Amino acid sequence: MPQIIVEYSARLEETFDRRAATLIDSTLGSFKTRFHRLDEVVIGAGAATDVMVHADLAILPGRSPETKRRLGQTALDLLVCHLGEAPGLTTQATVEVRELQGAGYHRRVLG
């Protein structure tokens, strides 16, 4: 059910441990996580030492604002935990939690 897209600066390739983790009351098998390495990232004035990782979490509607807030904070904590040491880099970690549009989301598992 959760659709997770994680974008990260290419300079974090060696230090960012990309693993799945349980975030909400959903089975791990229903998580769909995609990682996108970004070769070109400009943050602020564009210093070469500025890098980022951002997670976009799309969940089915019906969760309370408090649940979404906790999910966002938990996801942010996990991102930071999995970043590792990146000497000389200033890393910005961000998370956005949004609802999937129920009528526009369809799923079929084959096999």
Side-chain angles (χ1 to χ4, degrees), residues 35-89:
F35 292 95
H36 298 278
R37 189 182 91 160
L38 304 175
D39 292 323
E40 187 172 350
V41 173
V42 177
I43 298 172
T49 56
D50 290 342
V51 296
M52 55 79 66
V53 59
H54 173 77
D56 176 46
L57 286 75
I59 59 176
L60 289 174
R63 309 288 175 148
S64 71
E66 175 60 18
T67 297
K68 289 187 269 189
R69 187 199 64 74
R70 283 184 296 145
L71 173 60
Q73 188 59 56
T74 300
L76 183 59
D77 292 344
L78 280 170
L79 278 180
V80 171
C81 181
H82 291 300
L83 278 173
E85 294 295 319
L89 298 178

